[in-house]
Amino acid sequence: MSLRVDVARKLGAFVLDARFEAGAGITALFGRSGSGKTSLVNAIAGLLRPDRGLVEVEGQTLFDSSRGIDMSMSRRRIGYVFQEGRLFPHLSVRQNLLYGWWFTPRKERYVGLEHVVELLGLGQFLERRPGELSGGEKQRVAIGRALLASPRLLLMDEPLASLDAQRKSEILRYIERLRDETSIPILYVSHVIEEVVRLADTLVLMSDGKVQAEGRPDEIMGRLDLHPQTGRYEAGAVIDTRVAAYDEKFQLSTLHFSGGDLLVPNVDGLPGERIRVRIRARDVSLALEPPVGTSILNVLRGRIAEICPRDEVVADVSVDVGNVSVLARITRRSLDQLRLSPGMEVYAMVKSVALDRHSVGFA
């Protein structure tokens, strides 16, 4: 799959002027509220007409201002999942699911009801009405309805925004399964970094209507210059690991990566499975020598790559550990006392309990 977007639209005082390209898997549009994410998605879907630009999916032009092409939304074959399910209240779950399927030409259908019901765990709800479902169940039905329209691209605009923590965790697992078991490309909009780093293959960072950067989540989150956009308190590293072992007595999983091992609680993964771990900079401390007599289980040996003072009190230190960069947020006093500088060997320490269920997901 290839998606090419280069559009501009003036919306009052706000100007959307964004361009990016995406491949297969999940591409996340990430940025603070008001950065232009939803406007950009609406332009791709055909709900918002750009003043100029191009939208192209799999080589087919959906919009091109220079050639006078503006394909209608119904012909674009794009599935759209909104913040709220927007289900038809008078129809059963089965009827809601089949709504898009009936309007899709037979020759363009590539997925059936049975597969979607199994994929999203909807079997027990088929004869119920939306009013009898929880928020998370409604969102699963909305995702299923979009899938059954056999879209060439699936847009998900803050699909977890209206859900509580438990429902969010439930839907995240289904979206992970959707990513892993189907070939449908997904453009996922969120301003919540935990969702983005857990799900995305590609991250597109937006601010003030423009794309500031695009690339792998670990690349974007590891760049110190982008922290004003990614969020000062969200800064950290994203590491792809594999489950190496499980300590049944203490319920800790050993996750291996090029820089060593991480001991993490509450990982529901089998040996060999890929797990993505987010380590927040504020949860990392540094030492010049291997620590002795400490409760901290994760100690990673590395070398300082970059130091970026944030203000008069705090500094961010980027440490190369294996082939990844781990960020540590420390005080300027600690920076001075330890006399840290680029090239020095240090030990990055991370508490296992800091790597909670919000920090771990299947890669």
Side-chain angles (χ1 to χ4, degrees), residues 237-311:
V238 181
I239 304 176
D240 283 331
T241 71
R242 288 192 181 274
V243 178
Y246 179 69
D247 183 336
E248 188 171 349
K249 179 179 179 180
F250 295 106
Q251 299 184 45
L252 291 171
S253 293
T254 300
L255 306 182
H256 181 74
F257 72 108
S258 64
D261 293 329
L262 293 169
L263 287 172
V264 180
N266 304 315
V267 173
D268 184 20
L270 299 174
E273 284 192 300
R274 293 177 58 213
I275 300 291
R276 182 174 289 174
V277 180
R278 173 172 169 256
I279 302 177
R280 293 170 295 193
R282 60 185 178 180
D283 294 328
V284 179
S285 57
L286 299 177
L288 298 180
E289 302 290 340
V292 177
T294 176
S295 65
I296 296 178
L297 299 178
N298 297 309
V299 180
L300 304 171
R301 181 180 176 181
R303 196 169 295 278
I304 295 177
E306 185 180 0
I307 298 174
C308 181
R310 286 292 158 204
D311 51 38

Side-chain angles (χ1 to χ4, degrees), residues 17 26 36 52 73 81 102 104 110 126 163 176 182 185 218 257 281 285 290-292 297-298 326 349-350:
D17 188 1
I26 295 181
R52 66 131 195 98
M73 185 177 179
V81 180
W102 287 116
T104 303
Y110 59 74
L126 290 178
L163 304 179
E176 285 175 331
T182 74
D218 59 320
F257 72 108
S285 57
V292 177
L297 299 178
N298 297 309
V326 174
M349 300 178 293
V350 188

Side-chain angles (χ1 to χ4, degrees), residues 8 41 88 95 100 106 121 148 160-161 165 303 306 329-330 348 360:
V41 168
F88 299 110
Q95 291 168 325
R106 186 181 301 272
L148 280 165
L160 311 185
R303 196 169 295 278
E306 185 180 0
R329 176 156 292 156
I330 63 175
V360 178

Side-chain angles (χ1 to χ4, degrees), residues 288 304 307 333-341 344:
L288 298 180
I304 295 177
I307 298 174
R333 176 176 175 175
S334 294
L335 183 68
D336 182 69
Q337 287 182 338
L338 296 177
R339 298 182 180 179
L340 299 180
S341 63
M344 286 182 62

Side-chain angles (χ1 to χ4, degrees), residues 52-74:
R52 66 131 195 98
L54 171 74
V55 178
E56 187 179 274
V57 179
E58 293 183 322
Q60 181 167 12
T61 302
L62 308 185
F63 178 85
D64 187 342
S65 57
S66 66
R67 297 160 57 194
I69 298 174
D70 186 10
M71 190 178 293
S72 67
M73 185 177 179
S74 61

